[in-house]
Amino acid sequence: LPRRLDYLQALGIKGLWLMPINASGDHDHGYAVTDYRAIEPAYGTLADFDELVRQAHARGIGIVIDYVINHSSKLNPLFVQSASSRSSPWRDWYVWEDTKPAGWRIFDLDPWTMTPNGAYFAQFGPDMPDFNLRNPAVVAYHLDSLRFWLNHGVDGFRIDAVGHLFENGKDGWSMQPENYPFLARVRRALDIDHAHVMVCESPADPI
């Protein structure tokens, strides 16, 4: 590790952006997170990550990580509990309807998946259900998880799929007005002690 970082330092690299490093259900692209506060085992341990941050910072190299806030893996224990029954206390952590809504198309696919306990919303495929970011407990969970990584020394985040955070019907699933104040709240949370990097993925609104 030190020799590789020495090489990057010699090239003048000042920051590393890590694609999703969280434990995931796909063990591939990483955007189906099963544990927001754990490292995908193929990448090592949390102690390994801490050592990477320490060694990088010693060379003036910052660390930015991907954070997937819109959705999780369907294997995430939060979703497993949410899907367990219509009366689950975790039900409202994800977007559910008792009856599958009709007339929806996102990326030319139906974003609703029917189960014995209702239909859940998943814009990026049935393996990645969307969080209900209108639930204050969900927001608090994500802010706490972001703070977890800040406490482990990361210098900021690339926030995934920020154009898809809120839905207002079958014609209002992208670039909704609620996205902007929500991200401003995230921005304030990241900068509570000092400024951190925050890059938002939003192809529909690149400015």
Side-chain angles (χ1 to χ4, degrees):
L1 177 64
R3 283 186 309 203
R4 294 178 180 180
L5 290 172
D6 287 342
Y7 174 66
L8 295 177
Q9 183 185 29
L11 291 176
I13 300 297
K14 298 297 183 184
L16 298 178
W17 165 23
L18 306 182
M19 301 297 282
I21 60 171
N22 293 117
S24 71
D26 57 72
H27 308 293
D28 182 12
H29 55 67
Y31 288 96
V33 177
T34 57
D35 189 337
Y36 280 84
R37 304 179 193 185
I39 300 287
E40 175 66 20
Y43 301 151
T45 66
L46 188 57
D48 294 328
F49 178 78
D50 290 341
E51 181 64 8
L52 168 64
V53 173
R54 188 182 73 81
Q55 294 278 1
H57 285 174
R59 292 162 176 79
I61 299 173
I63 300 290
V64 172
I65 65 173
D66 241 285
Y67 191 88
V68 187
I69 204 167
N70 177 72
H71 53 269
S72 75
S73 168
K74 71 176 183 180
L75 302 177
N76 189 303
L78 295 170
F79 181 73
V80 172
Q81 290 296 321
S82 179
S84 63
S85 78
R86 297 184 188 218
S87 60
S88 167
W90 301 94
R91 179 74 162 189
D92 197 40
W93 276 57
Y94 291 83
V95 180
W96 287 90
E97 294 289 347
D98 289 340
T99 303
K100 185 178 179 180
W104 285 70
R105 300 296 287 180
I106 297 179
F107 309 127
D108 204 31
L109 297 171
D110 184 348
W112 293 94
T113 298
M114 195 64 197
T115 78
N117 292 320
Y120 66 86
F121 184 73
Q123 293 187 59
F124 295 99
D127 289 340
M128 295 184 286
D130 281 39
F131 281 108
N132 175 17
L133 293 171
R134 290 187 168 96
N135 182 340
V138 175
V139 177
Y141 170 78
H142 280 299
L143 294 181
D144 286 347
S145 295
L146 289 165
R147 175 57 57 184
F148 174 89
W149 292 106
L150 292 180
N151 289 342
H152 279 270
V154 304
D155 299 285
F157 303 90
R158 180 264 195 185
I159 310 292
D160 180 63
V162 299
H164 302 271
L165 303 179
F166 294 89
E167 298 77 42
N168 292 298
K170 64 184 178 65
D171 297 318
W173 52 267
S174 177
M175 304 311 301
Q176 297 304 291
E178 296 96 326
N179 295 344
Y180 298 93
F182 175 83
L183 290 168
R185 181 177 177 185
V186 174
R187 168 85 275 172
R188 291 192 299 271
L190 296 188
D191 293 346
I192 192 170
D193 49 4
H194 65 274
H196 293 89
V197 173
M198 178 175 160
V199 178
C200 296
E201 184 219 11
S202 182
D205 187 9
I207 298 178

